[in-house]
């Protein structure tokens, strides 16, 4: 099931209406009548997928072509990223020789995210814009000290993620 957050133009409104839904072929199923936001929809898909499937069957639809994709989760609480975490990535780096013994963690901020198909703007202050395709793992519940064997129980979903970095500013520190 491909979950999404989209904005659809609304007659008389300057910004349109943003809602959560499911991509179904060339349509977006509008699940805003059943789920307040993407987090509620994600949790529901884990806890009771049959209820989500019933909501999908009964919900209104709009053409994908009329929608603008937004970041899937409007205001994620935390965006933690792991860098240089495998040998091939370390080998292509001009500053790292080996995979570090511990994960290299960094953050992204919700304001830096764009939806699928939206342009990514290189800041004028930088001349070295780099990008990488990533896999985002969405944690669907509060966790602390989760055992490795139980870690996947906290995962609500996955999403493709494009990480854009201004390398010249990243290397200032």
């Amino acid at each position: 099931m491909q979950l999404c957050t989209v904005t659809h133009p609304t007659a008389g409104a300057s910004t349109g209406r943003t809602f959560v839904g499911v991509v179904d072929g060339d349509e977006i199923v509008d699940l805003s009548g059943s789920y307040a936001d993407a987090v509620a929809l994600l949790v529901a898909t884990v806890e009771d997928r049959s209820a989500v499937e019933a909501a999908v069957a009964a919900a209104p639809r709009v053409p994908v072509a009329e929608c603008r994709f937004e970041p899937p989760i409007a205001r994620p609480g935390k965006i933690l990223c792991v860098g240089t975490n495998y040998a091939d990535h370390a080998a292509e780096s001009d500053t790292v020789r080996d995979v570090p013994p511990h994960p290299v963690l960094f953050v992204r901020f919700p304001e830096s995210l764009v939806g699928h198909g939206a342009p990514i703007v290189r800041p004028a202050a930088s001349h070295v814009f780099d990008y990488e395709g990533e896999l985002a793992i969405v944690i669907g519940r509060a966790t602390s000290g989760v055992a490795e064997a139980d870690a996947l129980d906290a995962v609500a979903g996955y999403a493709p993620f494009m990480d854009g970095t201004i390398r010249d500013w990243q290397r200032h520190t």
Side-chain angles (χ1 to χ4, degrees), residues 139-164:
I139 306 301
R141 64 179 174 85
T143 61
S144 180
V146 175
E148 183 177 347
D150 301 323
L152 291 178
D153 293 341
V155 173
Y158 304 91
F161 187 85
M162 200 291 295
D163 178 36

Side-chain angles (χ1 to χ4, degrees), residues 78-94:
K78 296 177 189 74
I79 305 170
L80 303 176
C81 304
V82 181
T84 320
N85 56 336
Y86 58 95
D88 287 349
H89 187 41
E92 72 184 17
S93 172
D94 60 355

Side-chain angles (χ1 to χ4, degrees), residues 5-32:
T5 301
V6 298
T7 298
H8 185 265
T10 303
S14 60
T15 59
R17 186 174 67 84
T18 301
F19 61 89
V20 296
V22 172
V23 178
D24 185 14
D26 60 355
E27 296 179 313
I28 304 290
V29 181
D30 178 356
L31 294 178
S32 62

Side-chain angles (χ1 to χ4, degrees), residues 24 28-35 50-61:
D24 185 14
I28 304 290
V29 181
D30 178 356
L31 294 178
S32 62
S34 301
Y35 302 98
S50 63
V52 175
E53 290 169 350
V56 167
R61 296 163 179 260

Side-chain angles (χ1 to χ4, degrees), residues 12 26 30 35 68-69 88 90 92 95 104 116 125 138 156 161 168:
D26 60 355
D30 178 356
Y35 302 98
R68 179 182 72 238
F69 284 90
D88 287 349
E92 72 184 17
T95 60
V104 175
H116 167 71
V138 181
F161 187 85
D168 48 345

